[in-house]
Amino acid sequence: MAKVLLLTNSQGASAEVLPALALLQHTCKVMPLEASVLVDTPLMDVVFVDARRDFPTAKSLTRLLSTTGVGAPIIAITTEGGLSAFTADWGVNDVILDTAGPAEVDARIRIAVGAHAAQLESLDPTSSEIRQGDVVIDENTYTAKIKGTSLDLTFKEFELLKYLAQHPGRVFTRAQLLQEIWGYDYFGGTRTVDVHIRRLRSKLGPEFESIIGTVRNVGYRFTVQNGGKETSIPELV
C-alpha cells in the first residue's frame, strides 16, 4: 500500500479527479494545487497532480516539484483531449487519464514507485562525498571544498551546507533548518539560521555565495551551479 499525495483544487477530491483511486487501498492525502505545498510537504511515495483543466498552473507546479526535490515520482492526471499538451518539460514521470480503472491506476503507482526506488538504489551508498557542481563535501573528514579549495567552516556551517547540498533545489523554512541542524532542544530563534547563512555565504565567496539561494517569504535552498552558472529553478512567490 502506497502513500499517495493528490494535488487538486477540485471540491470533489479523489472521487471526482481520479475515481478509481478511491477504490484502492492506498493512503491518499489531498492538498491544494499550489506552490505553497512545497513547504512542509509530507513524505509520500507518489504525487498525483490534477492537470485536467488549468494547464498553466499544473505545468508550473509539476516543473517546480521536479526541480525542488519533492522526493517522489510525479504522475499527471488529465483528460484524453489534454494528452497532446504534455511534453518532456512538464517534468512528470507519467501521465494517466482520469477515466483509468483501478487495475491501471494501481499498476502505474507500482511501476512509478518501483522505478524511483531502483534509481535511489543505483546511487553509491558507500561514498562519503556529496558532489554538487564545483562543491565537494566529505562527511567522514568534515571538509568542504569548492574547485579544490578547502573552506574554513565551523561545525554548524558545515552541517548547514551539507544538509542543503543533500537536497539540491528543495526549499527549507528557517524553522525546518533550525530543527534539522540545531535540534529540538535548541531554544534560540530562527534568526540563528539567518546569521549562519550570512556567514556561510561570506566564506563561499562572491563567485559561489549564490548557491545558497533565498526564497522570498519562505526560506533557503541549495542551487546547483554548472560551469559557474546557476541551474535555472523557478522562484516561489
Side-chain angles (χ1 to χ4, degrees), residues 36-63:
S36 59
V37 301
L38 290 177
V39 181
D40 297 326
T41 301
L43 294 175
M44 292 288 169
D45 296 315
V46 63
V47 178
F48 279 98
V49 176
D50 184 1
R52 297 171 303 150
R53 299 186 181 93
D54 191 348
F55 280 153
T57 298
K59 182 176 182 178
S60 176
L61 185 56
T62 57
R63 293 180 65 186

Side-chain angles (χ1 to χ4, degrees), residues 98-211:
D98 58 351
T99 55
E104 181 180 350
V105 173
D106 193 48
R108 296 291 187 98
I109 291 174
R110 289 198 314 273
I111 292 170
V113 172
H116 183 69
Q119 183 180 24
L120 293 178
E121 289 176 2
S122 68
L123 301 176
D124 183 3
T126 63
S127 176
S128 65
E129 288 189 348
I130 301 168
R131 292 179 176 267
Q132 299 292 356
D134 293 313
V135 180
V136 179
I137 301 167
D138 192 321
E139 297 181 85
N140 286 345
T141 61
Y142 280 89
T143 58
K145 297 180 180 179
I146 293 184
K147 287 187 174 180
T149 301
S150 296
L151 299 173
D152 183 18
L153 304 179
T154 65
F155 177 75
K156 291 300 184 186
E157 290 166 354
F158 175 84
E159 288 294 314
L160 189 56
L161 177 62
K162 183 186 76 172
Y163 188 74
L164 290 171
Q166 285 175 322
H167 308 85
R170 182 165 182 175
V171 182
F172 292 97
T173 65
R174 292 165 177 82
Q176 285 175 315
L177 291 173
L178 196 67
Q179 174 183 304
E180 293 294 336
I181 308 303
W182 280 266
Y184 290 98
D185 56 349
Y186 183 76
F187 292 101
T190 54
R191 179 168 170 74
T192 298
V193 176
D194 295 328
V195 171
H196 279 74
I197 289 287
R198 187 167 61 249
R199 292 173 179 169
L200 179 55
R201 283 174 173 160
S202 176
K203 292 181 179 181
L204 290 170
E207 183 181 357
F208 290 96
E209 62 181 2
S210 62
I211 64 174

